[in-house]
Amino acid sequence: MANSYIQLHFVALFFLASLTIPSNCLPGLYPKAPVALFVFGDSLFDRGNNDFIKTTTTFQANFPPYGETFFKLPTGSFTDGRIIPDFIAEFAKLSLIPPYLQTAYHEFLTNGVNFASGGAGALAETNTGLVIDLKMQFKNFRKAKKHLRLNIGKRAAKRVVKNAVYLFGIGSNDYLSPLTNNSSIFKLYAPQDYVAMVVGNITSVVQKIHREGGRKFGILNLGPLGCLPRLRAANVAAGGNGECVEQVTALAKLHNVLLSQKLQLLQKRLKDFKYSYFDVFAASIATVQNPSKFGFKEVKSACCGSGPFRGYFSCGGKRGMKEYELCDNPKDYLFFDANHPTEAANLQSAEAMWGGPPNITGPYNLQSLFLL
């Protein structure tokens, strides 16, 4: 019943939001014709796919107060309002990109679709059985491509796939999940070898999409994972003062270096391959070091949750802990819950991705990719 309730309300929201989202004030031109946006990733990008799979509330956000800022009800996204792909779609003058598993929307595939799944990893072993991992997301893309061909014809579908932008935001769970589940994986692999597996799976899917006809890719690196409210709370539980957990952040740094290197190699090897690499890590550090410059008052504690730094993943009271605190104004916060940014933070990331300079978003920004 809950999922049906969410789905019915999201149907209305999908059409209303496409009409009522205010125009963004970013300068620059827009594509003359819509360029599709296909989204792959984890909970930073999930538009509600996890509402349609057999999983647990740990990997769902289909209950209040999620969605309260913009939609006024939960839509399955792990934030108080819109996520990064929502803003990118707005900037590109597309309607909201729907979740793939909300099958009623398959006629909108010419504008793109969102395959992301909260809790997903690049590795199939990450939260296996509870999420849609990256390889399965690619399989869903191939199904969507087949559906496009049936609907609009082979030639038109090929044009959609070639002109589309493919947005990736995944990898965090591959490093966070083993810690949560007390896995011995980090004892079995040297850090460099484990990171190589994660990055290798990401770039493998990128190459597969290129073989399917895709040419333009937007890729996010990882932020300082050890500084999430969840990890600060874990540091307190271990007897610390809420410092960032450097062991986890070190893995993110290794990941970012290797991912950047691999993308540069793909640019040299793959025909017409173009990409935008958004440095989430650098942007996050800048925000934490100077919050007021970016309009934030609190960058360590979450808006919604419990425990130290509101770092317990209890927002909404549906994940084992019923009691939680909720801030008055999410716009003041960098984090909405223990793991995820607020809509305000998502907007700033999307703006940087869309029109940022090469040192933050390069060698292309997303605006450039949509115009190519």
Side-chain angles (χ1 to χ4, degrees):
M1 290 297 294
N3 283 348
S4 299
Y5 175 82
I6 296 300
Q7 183 173 6
L8 288 172
H9 281 76
F10 190 77
V11 170
L13 280 170
F14 178 79
F15 288 103
L16 289 173
S18 66
L19 296 173
T20 60
I21 293 179
S23 297
N24 192 273
C25 298
L26 287 174
L29 300 173
Y30 292 90
K32 293 181 180 179
V35 175
L37 177 64
F38 292 101
V39 181
F40 301 79
D42 54 29
S43 54
L44 290 179
F45 283 2
D46 190 355
R47 170 41 64 217
N49 280 305
N50 280 13
D51 294 351
F52 302 93
I53 65 174
K54 185 178 181 181
T55 186
T56 70
T57 52
T58 298
F59 303 105
Q60 292 177 321
N62 53 7
F63 43 85
Y66 292 104
E68 66 169 19
T69 297
F70 182 78
F71 299 105
K72 308 306 178 186
L73 54 83
T75 63
S77 291
F78 291 76
T79 188
D80 57 301
R82 289 163 287 184
I83 54 177
I84 290 172
D86 296 338
F87 289 112
I88 299 302
E90 176 191 339
F91 301 160
K93 295 196 171 179
L94 298 169
S95 53
L96 287 175
I97 305 300
Y100 174 74
L101 294 183
Q102 197 157 353
T103 53
Y105 291 136
H106 277 190
E107 63 267 29
F108 293 101
L109 288 176
T110 50
N111 280 343
V113 72
N114 188 318
F115 302 102
S117 171
L123 303 178
E125 295 80 7
T126 297
N127 297 319
T128 183
L130 297 168
V131 300
I132 309 166
D133 65 77
L134 184 57
K135 288 184 178 179
M136 182 57 68
Q137 291 179 34
F138 171 71
K139 290 181 180 179
N140 287 339
F141 165 72
R142 294 197 69 189
K143 292 177 184 177
K145 182 184 174 184
K146 181 179 180 180
H147 189 93
L148 266 176
R149 288 198 303 266
L150 292 173
N151 270 9
I152 65 177
K154 185 176 180 180
R155 182 176 297 180
K158 183 177 180 180
R159 186 164 56 248
V160 170
V161 170
K162 181 179 179 180
N163 292 336
V165 172
Y166 299 85
L167 189 62
F168 280 73
I170 198 163
S172 297
N173 293 306
D174 295 301
Y175 305 110
L176 294 172
S177 179
L179 297 176
T180 302
N181 299 323
N182 294 318
S183 170
S184 61
I185 192 74
F186 293 136
K187 295 180 181 179
L188 298 176
Y189 294 94
Q192 294 85 350
D193 294 335
Y194 185 80
V195 168
M197 289 195 301
V198 175
V199 173
N201 276 20
I202 295 172
T203 54
S204 173
V205 170
V206 168
Q207 291 178 82
K208 288 177 181 178
I209 292 174
H210 182 271
R211 287 198 290 269
E212 294 287 332
R215 293 295 182 264
K216 300 182 289 186
F217 297 83
I219 315 284
L220 279 71
N221 71 8
L222 301 182
L225 299 179
C227 296
L228 293 170
R230 167 183 170 185
L231 273 297
R232 291 187 185 275
N235 176 265
V236 172
N241 295 317
E243 299 93 347
C244 298
V245 180
E246 291 303 324
Q247 175 192 2
V248 185
T249 298
L251 289 170
K253 289 179 179 179
L254 286 174
H255 175 100
N256 294 345
V257 170
L258 184 58
L259 179 61
S260 179
Q261 292 171 348
K262 293 296 184 181
L263 290 173
Q264 292 174 47
L265 287 175
L266 292 182
Q267 187 178 37
K268 295 177 181 178
R269 294 175 180 174
L270 301 181
K271 182 181 178 181
D272 298 328
F273 177 82
K274 296 177 175 63
Y275 73 96
S276 173
Y277 177 80
F278 176 49
D279 193 348
V280 178
F281 194 98
S284 299
I285 293 297
T287 301
V288 171
Q289 290 178 345
N290 194 355
S292 60
K293 178 181 177 180
F294 298 91
F296 296 111
K297 295 180 180 179
E298 177 55 60
V299 294
K300 294 182 179 180
S301 295
C303 167
C304 184
S306 57
F309 300 95
R310 292 181 185 148
Y312 298 161
F313 195 37
S314 59
C315 185
K318 301 286 186 179
R319 302 187 181 104
M321 289 179 280
K322 294 184 178 181
E323 300 298 325
Y324 66 94
E325 299 173 347
L326 181 65
C327 71
D328 293 328
N329 189 1
K331 290 183 178 180
D332 292 337
Y333 285 71
L334 178 62
F335 296 100
F336 183 65
D337 67 17
N339 301 316
H340 306 100
T342 57
E343 181 189 76
N346 285 330
L347 172 58
Q348 291 193 17
S349 292
E351 287 175 335
M353 293 168 66
W354 181 257
N359 64 316
I360 292 293
T361 307
Y364 293 87
N365 56 37
L366 286 183
Q367 182 183 30
S368 299
L369 290 184
F370 272 91
L371 289 169
L372 288 173

